Amino acid sequence: MKSSNKQGMRCFLLLIFLLIFSNSTIIAQHKTFQAHINVVEIDDLKNKIFESQKPYKIVFMFNQFCSVSRDIFPELDALYKNANQKNFELFVVSNTKEKNKEELQNHLFYYGYAEPFYIIKNKPLLGFYKKLIHTICESCDTRKMGYSDFIIFDKNNEVLTQTNHDIVNQLTKDERIVILKKYIQ
C-alpha cells in the first residue's frame, strides 16, 4: 500500500513540475515576442504619421481575417524585418476592435509579426476605412481602398502612391510587393 502512495505522490509531483515548467516556457516565449499594438484615435494616428521625419511613411490596412491581407502580409513582414528601417516608418492599421486586442496579439504571436500595429479607438460602425483614409489622406480615393491597401507618404507628407481595390485596376500581390520594395530599404 505504501508503495502505491509513493508512486502516486511521485506522479503528482511530476505532473505539477511539468505544468509549472511548460507554463513558464510559454510565458518566456511570449515575453520575448513583443508586437507593438497601439490603441489611438484617428487624429492621433494622423499626427504620428505626419510628425515622422522618415523619408517614407507607409500606412498599411490590415485585417487578420482578410485573405488578401493574410496573403501579402508575410512578404511585407519579411521586407520590414530585413530593412534598415532608417528610411521609412511603417504604420499597420487594423480594423480590430479595441476589446479584441488580445486576439490580435495572439495572431501576431503565432505568425511572428512584430511590426507597429495601430487599433483605432472609437471608430464609426460604418465607413471606418473611408473615414480613416480621408482623415490621413484627403487626396486619396477612399471609395476604392480597403484591407491590404497602402498609402505611401514622403517626408513632407505628400502622397507618393496608394493602392486600391478597384476590380478593373487592382494590383497583383507581386506588383504591390514591387512597390513596397522601392520604399522599404
Side-chain angles (χ1 to χ4, degrees), residues 145-175:
M145 290 189 73
Y147 304 131
S148 80
D149 284 322
F150 54 85
I151 306 165
I152 300 176
F153 296 95
D154 67 9
K155 186 175 183 173
N156 299 318
N157 301 315
E158 298 293 324
V159 176
L160 297 173
T161 190
Q162 79 170 89
T163 59
N164 62 55
H165 264 71
D166 180 4
I167 300 299
V168 176
N169 299 314
Q170 187 172 4
L171 298 171
T172 67
K173 177 177 104 173
D174 292 336
E175 290 170 326

Short mmCIF file of all heavy atoms in Angstrom, two decimals, residues 145-175:
data_model
loop_
_atom_site.label_atom_id
_atom_site.label_comp_id
_atom_site.label_asym_id
_atom_site.label_seq_id
_atom_site.Cartn_x
_atom_site.Cartn_y
_atom_site.Cartn_z
N MET A 145 -10.40 51.92 -51.61
CA MET A 145 -9.37 51.37 -50.72
C MET A 145 -10.00 50.48 -49.65
O MET A 145 -11.14 50.68 -49.26
CB MET A 145 -8.58 52.48 -50.05
CG MET A 145 -7.68 53.22 -51.01
SD MET A 145 -6.57 54.35 -50.19
CE MET A 145 -5.42 53.20 -49.46
N GLY A 146 -9.22 49.52 -49.19
CA GLY A 146 -9.68 48.61 -48.14
C GLY A 146 -8.52 47.82 -47.59
O GLY A 146 -7.37 48.24 -47.65
N TYR A 147 -8.81 46.65 -47.07
CA TYR A 147 -7.78 45.80 -46.48
C TYR A 147 -6.70 45.48 -47.51
O TYR A 147 -6.98 45.27 -48.67
CB TYR A 147 -8.37 44.49 -45.98
CG TYR A 147 -9.50 44.66 -45.01
CD1 TYR A 147 -10.69 43.97 -45.17
CD2 TYR A 147 -9.37 45.50 -43.91
CE1 TYR A 147 -11.73 44.12 -44.28
CE2 TYR A 147 -10.41 45.65 -43.01
CZ TYR A 147 -11.59 44.96 -43.20
OH TYR A 147 -12.61 45.11 -42.32
N SER A 148 -5.48 45.44 -47.04
CA SER A 148 -4.25 45.15 -47.79
C SER A 148 -3.83 46.29 -48.71
O SER A 148 -2.85 46.16 -49.44
CB SER A 148 -4.35 43.83 -48.58
OG SER A 148 -5.05 44.00 -49.78
N ASP A 149 -4.54 47.39 -48.68
CA ASP A 149 -4.11 48.56 -49.45
C ASP A 149 -3.17 49.39 -48.59
O ASP A 149 -3.14 49.27 -47.37
CB ASP A 149 -5.31 49.42 -49.87
CG ASP A 149 -6.06 48.80 -51.03
OD1 ASP A 149 -5.40 48.24 -51.92
OD2 ASP A 149 -7.29 48.87 -51.05
N PHE A 150 -2.40 50.23 -49.26
CA PHE A 150 -1.49 51.09 -48.51
C PHE A 150 -1.35 52.45 -49.17
O PHE A 150 -1.65 52.62 -50.36
CB PHE A 150 -0.11 50.43 -48.33
CG PHE A 150 0.54 49.98 -49.61
CD1 PHE A 150 1.29 50.85 -50.37
CD2 PHE A 150 0.42 48.67 -50.02
CE1 PHE A 150 1.91 50.43 -51.54
CE2 PHE A 150 1.04 48.22 -51.19
CZ PHE A 150 1.78 49.11 -51.95
N ILE A 151 -0.90 53.39 -48.35
CA ILE A 151 -0.59 54.75 -48.80
C ILE A 151 0.86 55.00 -48.42
O ILE A 151 1.27 54.67 -47.30
CB ILE A 151 -1.47 55.80 -48.08
CG1 ILE A 151 -2.95 55.48 -48.22
CG2 ILE A 151 -1.15 57.21 -48.60
CD1 ILE A 151 -3.84 56.26 -47.27
N ILE A 152 1.62 55.58 -49.32
CA ILE A 152 3.00 55.93 -49.02
C ILE A 152 3.15 57.44 -49.14
O ILE A 152 2.84 58.02 -50.18
CB ILE A 152 3.99 55.20 -49.95
CG1 ILE A 152 3.82 53.69 -49.78
CG2 ILE A 152 5.43 55.64 -49.63
CD1 ILE A 152 4.67 52.84 -50.68
N PHE A 153 3.61 58.03 -48.03
CA PHE A 153 3.86 59.47 -47.96
C PHE A 153 5.37 59.72 -48.01
O PHE A 153 6.15 58.88 -47.57
CB PHE A 153 3.35 60.05 -46.63
CG PHE A 153 1.86 59.96 -46.44
CD1 PHE A 153 1.31 58.89 -45.73
CD2 PHE A 153 1.02 60.94 -46.92
CE1 PHE A 153 -0.05 58.80 -45.52
CE2 PHE A 153 -0.35 60.86 -46.72
CZ PHE A 153 -0.88 59.79 -46.03
N ASP A 154 5.73 60.90 -48.50
CA ASP A 154 7.14 61.28 -48.42
C ASP A 154 7.37 62.05 -47.12
O ASP A 154 6.46 62.18 -46.29
CB ASP A 154 7.57 62.10 -49.64
CG ASP A 154 6.92 63.47 -49.75
OD1 ASP A 154 6.23 63.92 -48.79
OD2 ASP A 154 7.08 64.11 -50.80
N LYS A 155 8.57 62.55 -46.94
CA LYS A 155 8.93 63.26 -45.71
C LYS A 155 8.05 64.49 -45.47
O LYS A 155 7.79 64.87 -44.34
CB LYS A 155 10.41 63.68 -45.78
CG LYS A 155 10.92 64.30 -44.52
CD LYS A 155 12.40 64.58 -44.61
CE LYS A 155 12.87 65.14 -43.29
NZ LYS A 155 14.33 65.28 -43.26
N ASN A 156 7.57 65.10 -46.56
CA ASN A 156 6.73 66.31 -46.46
C ASN A 156 5.24 65.99 -46.42
O ASN A 156 4.41 66.86 -46.64
CB ASN A 156 7.03 67.24 -47.62
CG ASN A 156 8.47 67.68 -47.61
OD1 ASN A 156 9.03 67.99 -46.56
ND2 ASN A 156 9.10 67.68 -48.77
N ASN A 157 4.92 64.70 -46.21
CA ASN A 157 3.54 64.22 -46.10
C ASN A 157 2.74 64.34 -47.39
O ASN A 157 1.52 64.44 -47.37
CB ASN A 157 2.81 64.90 -44.94
CG ASN A 157 3.53 64.65 -43.63
OD1 ASN A 157 3.92 63.52 -43.35
ND2 ASN A 157 3.72 65.69 -42.85
N GLU A 158 3.45 64.33 -48.50
CA GLU A 158 2.80 64.28 -49.80
C GLU A 158 2.64 62.81 -50.19
O GLU A 158 3.54 62.00 -49.96
CB GLU A 158 3.64 65.01 -50.86
CG GLU A 158 3.86 66.48 -50.59
CD GLU A 158 2.57 67.29 -50.67
OE1 GLU A 158 1.71 66.97 -51.53
OE2 GLU A 158 2.43 68.23 -49.88
N VAL A 159 1.50 62.49 -50.79
CA VAL A 159 1.25 61.11 -51.19
C VAL A 159 2.09 60.78 -52.42
O VAL A 159 2.02 61.45 -53.44
CB VAL A 159 -0.26 60.89 -51.51
CG1 VAL A 159 -0.49 59.48 -52.01
CG2 VAL A 159 -1.11 61.18 -50.30
N LEU A 160 2.90 59.72 -52.27
CA LEU A 160 3.70 59.25 -53.40
C LEU A 160 2.93 58.23 -54.21
O LEU A 160 3.00 58.21 -55.43
CB LEU A 160 5.01 58.64 -52.91
CG LEU A 160 5.94 59.60 -52.19
CD1 LEU A 160 7.12 58.86 -51.59
CD2 LEU A 160 6.42 60.68 -53.16
N THR A 161 2.21 57.34 -53.51
CA THR A 161 1.40 56.33 -54.18
C THR A 161 0.37 55.78 -53.21
O THR A 161 0.52 55.89 -52.00
CB THR A 161 2.28 55.20 -54.76
OG1 THR A 161 1.48 54.37 -55.58
CG2 THR A 161 2.91 54.37 -53.67
N GLN A 162 -0.65 55.19 -53.78
CA GLN A 162 -1.65 54.48 -53.00
C GLN A 162 -2.13 53.30 -53.85
O GLN A 162 -2.09 53.35 -55.07
CB GLN A 162 -2.83 55.36 -52.61
CG GLN A 162 -3.83 55.55 -53.74
CD GLN A 162 -5.12 56.23 -53.32
OE1 GLN A 162 -5.19 57.43 -53.35
NE2 GLN A 162 -6.10 55.45 -52.93
N THR A 163 -2.53 52.24 -53.18
CA THR A 163 -3.12 51.12 -53.90
C THR A 163 -4.61 51.14 -53.66
O THR A 163 -5.10 51.87 -52.80
CB THR A 163 -2.53 49.78 -53.43
OG1 THR A 163 -2.77 49.63 -52.03
CG2 THR A 163 -1.04 49.71 -53.72
N ASN A 164 -5.33 50.33 -54.43
CA ASN A 164 -6.77 50.29 -54.24
C ASN A 164 -7.34 48.93 -54.62
O ASN A 164 -6.65 48.09 -55.19
CB ASN A 164 -7.47 51.41 -55.00
CG ASN A 164 -7.27 51.30 -56.49
OD1 ASN A 164 -7.56 50.28 -57.09
ND2 ASN A 164 -6.75 52.36 -57.09
N HIS A 165 -8.59 48.75 -54.28
CA HIS A 165 -9.30 47.50 -54.57
C HIS A 165 -10.22 47.64 -55.79
O HIS A 165 -11.18 46.92 -55.91
CB HIS A 165 -10.15 47.10 -53.35
CG HIS A 165 -9.46 46.11 -52.48
ND1 HIS A 165 -8.39 46.44 -51.71
CD2 HIS A 165 -9.68 44.80 -52.29
CE1 HIS A 165 -8.00 45.38 -51.05
NE2 HIS A 165 -8.75 44.37 -51.38
N ASP A 166 -9.91 48.56 -56.65
CA ASP A 166 -10.69 48.73 -57.88
C ASP A 166 -10.53 47.45 -58.69
O ASP A 166 -9.42 47.08 -59.08
CB ASP A 166 -10.16 49.94 -58.64
CG ASP A 166 -10.89 50.19 -59.94
OD1 ASP A 166 -11.88 49.50 -60.22
OD2 ASP A 166 -10.45 51.10 -60.68
N ILE A 167 -11.61 46.74 -58.93
CA ILE A 167 -11.57 45.45 -59.62
C ILE A 167 -10.87 45.56 -60.98
O ILE A 167 -10.10 44.70 -61.37
CB ILE A 167 -13.00 44.87 -59.80
CG1 ILE A 167 -13.67 44.67 -58.44
CG2 ILE A 167 -12.99 43.60 -60.61
CD1 ILE A 167 -12.94 43.71 -57.52
N VAL A 168 -11.10 46.64 -61.69
CA VAL A 168 -10.52 46.81 -63.02
C VAL A 168 -9.01 47.07 -62.93
O VAL A 168 -8.23 46.52 -63.69
CB VAL A 168 -11.21 47.98 -63.77
CG1 VAL A 168 -10.56 48.23 -65.11
CG2 VAL A 168 -12.69 47.67 -63.93
N ASN A 169 -8.61 47.89 -61.98
CA ASN A 169 -7.20 48.31 -61.89
C ASN A 169 -6.47 47.70 -60.70
O ASN A 169 -5.42 48.21 -60.31
CB ASN A 169 -7.12 49.84 -61.80
CG ASN A 169 -7.71 50.50 -63.02
OD1 ASN A 169 -7.43 50.09 -64.13
ND2 ASN A 169 -8.53 51.50 -62.81
N GLN A 170 -6.98 46.65 -60.12
CA GLN A 170 -6.37 46.08 -58.93
C GLN A 170 -4.99 45.51 -59.22
O GLN A 170 -4.79 44.80 -60.20
CB GLN A 170 -7.27 44.99 -58.34
CG GLN A 170 -6.76 44.47 -57.02
CD GLN A 170 -7.76 43.53 -56.37
OE1 GLN A 170 -8.78 43.22 -56.94
NE2 GLN A 170 -7.44 43.10 -55.19
N LEU A 171 -4.05 45.82 -58.36
CA LEU A 171 -2.69 45.32 -58.50
C LEU A 171 -2.61 43.89 -57.97
O LEU A 171 -3.29 43.53 -57.02
CB LEU A 171 -1.72 46.19 -57.69
CG LEU A 171 -1.61 47.66 -58.10
CD1 LEU A 171 -0.79 48.43 -57.08
CD2 LEU A 171 -0.99 47.77 -59.47
N THR A 172 -1.72 43.11 -58.55
CA THR A 172 -1.48 41.77 -58.03
C THR A 172 -0.62 41.89 -56.78
O THR A 172 -0.02 42.94 -56.51
CB THR A 172 -0.74 40.89 -59.06
OG1 THR A 172 0.58 41.43 -59.24
CG2 THR A 172 -1.49 40.82 -60.38
N LYS A 173 -0.52 40.79 -56.05
CA LYS A 173 0.34 40.77 -54.86
C LYS A 173 1.78 41.10 -55.24
O LYS A 173 2.43 41.92 -54.58
CB LYS A 173 0.26 39.40 -54.19
CG LYS A 173 1.17 39.28 -52.98
CD LYS A 173 1.00 37.95 -52.31
CE LYS A 173 2.16 37.08 -52.66
NZ LYS A 173 2.19 35.82 -51.94
N ASP A 174 2.27 40.53 -56.32
CA ASP A 174 3.65 40.78 -56.74
C ASP A 174 3.87 42.25 -57.11
O ASP A 174 4.92 42.82 -56.80
CB ASP A 174 4.02 39.88 -57.92
CG ASP A 174 4.10 38.41 -57.51
OD1 ASP A 174 4.32 38.13 -56.31
OD2 ASP A 174 3.94 37.54 -58.40
N GLU A 175 2.89 42.87 -57.76
CA GLU A 175 3.00 44.29 -58.11
C GLU A 175 3.03 45.15 -56.85
O GLU A 175 3.78 46.14 -56.78
CB GLU A 175 1.84 44.71 -59.02
CG GLU A 175 1.91 44.11 -60.40
CD GLU A 175 0.65 44.32 -61.22
OE1 GLU A 175 -0.48 44.33 -60.64
OE2 GLU A 175 0.78 44.47 -62.46
#
